[in-house]
């Protein structure tokens, strides 16, 4: 088997908790929260893995840790076989791992022209820049923008155009992996498709691996090979996209999908309402952390944390009583 482009094993990312003077005497594990609480996954060459989950589930935090913008507190991560968890040369890593940030316009420096923005990755990595304007034109063209955009500034771009500049920057160094955080957020449906096609094109041609973070479950089937569902910083289900959409094993996945009727292969599937709110990271429920919101919870769910194990289909789920048939109900 070929080596994964990205390999994560039990990756934990913590944020400090402000506690005042009392906090100084608190046990060490209470001075921080785990926004990513032990994530294990692989992304293969040419593969697109989508990460979904409600706001605050740790998706962006995970991407930022993979890209070195946040430290990995524990666990192990490898990119193309090189460890990321023990102080790699992040500039060298980022030469081959591009990040598209959640906010398309805000992530572009406002004082730089589009020409300079698309050349910036080359400058950061010390690549030759003989025919700079020609190179910038070619890089822009990869994202479907003509040379008339070279002289524009970010505030003169629409959301879709800013996204395209983000795609051009991401593709410009021919990366092995793109981390795309909500690449279609805030865009019209027609433009969403165009942005995703741009990313897809390179996956077919160059074996580009993509980790795409999205709230937009409707785009999943068109872009993702596999999907990982996150809840409170953990993966609760992961598997091939068709298998997960057709027969989600975790009640949380079923609830997310049932809120998107277009995704439901059988429109008859009843909408599963999630009870209550997502708990805070400081008061994680006992046992299965989803149990207070789960309509299928049984007493033992409050006692024992489920492991992510193979379920009936081809997916893995962290649930003591996974759903086993395709209408989201109990066997
Ligand atoms: N800089 C920070 N300091 C402290 N806590 C943070 C910080 N950034 C994120 N968090 C917390 O970490 C958790 C995960 O946040 P994250 O932004 O990764 O979620 P997300 O899944 O990307 O959400 P969204 O879908 O809204 O983008 C949240 O509880 C959030 O409040
Ligand atoms: Mg986010």
């Amino acid at each position: 088997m070929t080596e994964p482009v990205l390999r994560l094993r039990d990756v934990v990312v913590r944020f400090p908790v402000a506690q005042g003077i009392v906090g100084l005497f608190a046990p060490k594990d209470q001075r921080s929260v785990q926004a990513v609480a032990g994530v294990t996954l692989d992304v293969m060459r040419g593969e697109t893995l989508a990460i979904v989950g409600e706001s605050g589930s740790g998706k962006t935090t995970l991407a930022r840790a993979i890209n070195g913008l946040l430290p990995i507190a524990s666990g192990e991560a490898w990119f193309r076989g090189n460890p990321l968890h023990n102080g790699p040369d992040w500039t060298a890593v980022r030469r081959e791992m591009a990040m598209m940030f959640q906010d398309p316009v805000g992530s572009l420096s406002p004082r730089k022209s589009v020409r300079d923005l698309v050349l910036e990755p080359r400058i950061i990595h010390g690549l030759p820049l003989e025919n700079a304007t020609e190179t910038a034109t070619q890089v822009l063209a990869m994202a479907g923008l003509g040379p008339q955009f070279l002289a524009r500034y970010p505030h003169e771009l629409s959301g879709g155009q800013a996204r395209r500049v983000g795609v051009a920057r991401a593709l410009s160094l021919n990366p092995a992996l793109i981390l795309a955080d909500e690449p279609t957020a805030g865009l019209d449906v027609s433009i969403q498709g165009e942005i995703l096609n741009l990313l897809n094109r390179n996956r077919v041609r160059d074996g580009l691996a993509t980790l795409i973070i999205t709230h937009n479950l409707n785009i999943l089937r068109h872009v993702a090979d596999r999907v990982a569902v996150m809840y409170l910083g953990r993966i609760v289900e992961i598997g091939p996209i068709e298998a997960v959409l057709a027969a989600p094993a975790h009640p949380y996945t079923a609830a997310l999908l049932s809120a998107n009727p277009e995704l439901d292969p059988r429109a008859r599937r009843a909408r599963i309402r999630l009870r209550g709110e997502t708990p805070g990271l400081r008061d994680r429920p006992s046992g299965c952390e989803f149990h207070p919101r789960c309509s299928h919870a049984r007493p033992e769910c409050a006692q024992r944390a489920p492991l992510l194990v193979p379920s009936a289909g081809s997916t893995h789920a962290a649930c003591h009583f996974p759903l086993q048939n395709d209408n989201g109900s109990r066997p």
Side-chain angles (χ1 to χ4, degrees):
M1 217 176 103
T2 54
E3 183 180 67
V5 175
L6 180 71
R7 185 177 184 84
L8 307 181
R9 291 295 176 270
D10 238 348
V11 166
V12 172
V13 184
R14 295 173 179 277
F15 287 117
V17 178
Q19 285 180 317
I21 193 84
V22 179
L24 291 175
F25 303 101
K28 203 170 176 204
D29 64 348
Q30 287 171 25
R31 280 181 242 156
S32 65
V33 290
Q34 293 190 0
V36 172
V39 163
T40 292
L41 57 80
D42 289 336
V43 187
M44 310 304 292
R45 202 178 127 77
E47 184 184 49
T48 296
L49 175 71
I51 299 194
V52 302
E54 288 168 298
S55 190
S57 55
K59 307 180 298 292
T60 296
T61 303
L62 178 64
R64 292 173 69 88
I66 294 167
N67 197 242
L69 298 171
L70 288 168
I72 295 173
S74 66
E76 293 170 320
W78 292 267
F79 175 56
R80 311 189 87 193
N82 301 309
L84 301 177
H85 49 273
N86 49 9
D89 174 351
W90 283 108
T91 307
V93 170
R94 291 186 196 124
R95 164 93 172 70
E96 296 182 304
M97 182 201 289
M99 176 106 181
M100 288 173 60
F101 291 94
Q102 199 159 351
D103 171 10
V105 180
S107 59
L108 302 174
S109 331
R111 283 172 222 277
K112 289 202 164 128
S113 66
V114 167
R115 176 185 181 279
D116 290 349
L117 285 168
V118 298
L119 291 175
E120 194 173 44
R122 284 169 195 272
I123 294 167
I124 290 172
H125 294 283
L127 300 182
L129 264 188
E130 283 104 53
N131 306 308
T133 300
E134 197 179 309
T135 304
T137 305
Q138 282 167 6
V139 172
L140 261 193
M142 288 199 289
L145 289 177
Q148 71 273 24
F149 285 94
L150 287 172
R152 296 207 193 155
Y153 285 81
H155 71 271
E156 298 172 300
L157 303 174
S158 69
Q161 289 160 353
R163 251 310 166 217
R164 284 174 187 271
V165 173
V167 172
R169 280 161 59 90
L171 295 177
S172 70
L173 301 182
N174 195 17
L177 174 69
I178 289 192
L179 306 169
D181 197 352
E182 300 279 3
T184 61
L187 301 180
D188 288 345
V189 174
S190 58
I191 299 170
Q192 289 180 6
E194 291 169 20
I195 298 291
L196 296 169
N197 284 340
L198 286 172
L199 293 173
N200 254 337
R201 202 188 297 163
N202 285 63
R203 130 165 107 136
V204 176
R205 195 184 63 198
D206 300 328
L208 173 68
T210 312
L211 198 138
I212 185 168
I213 293 169
T214 182
H215 265 107
N216 185 347
L217 298 177
N218 296 318
I219 66 174
L220 284 184
R221 197 191 296 275
H222 306 292
V223 293
D225 300 298
R226 286 188 302 138
V227 59
V229 181
M230 279 183 81
Y231 189 73
L232 289 181
R234 303 183 202 278
I235 293 179
V236 296
E237 178 156 11
I238 185 167
I241 189 71
E242 290 301 334
V244 173
L245 292 182
H250 199 288
Y252 179 62
T253 313
L256 282 186
L257 296 181
S258 81
N260 279 261
E262 305 93 294
L263 276 177
D264 202 324
R266 286 156 205 78
R268 278 174 288 128
R269 185 188 289 169
R271 167 124 196 226
I272 306 167
R273 286 190 190 282
L274 286 173
R275 296 189 293 203
E277 300 276 304
T278 315
L281 296 176
R282 291 178 76 174
D283 33 46
R284 289 177 176 274
S286 63
C288 170
E289 294 176 340
F290 183 61
H291 87 265
R293 302 179 76 193
C294 183
S295 49
H296 299 292
R298 302 184 199 179
E300 56 220 277
C301 298
Q303 283 148 24
R304 248 180 340 116
L307 299 173
L308 191 62
V309 293
S311 70
S314 42
T315 83
H316 285 60
C319 178
H320 293 310
F321 305 103
L323 306 171
Q324 283 178 8
N325 58 30
D326 63 6
N327 61 8
S329 62
R330 293 272 127 205

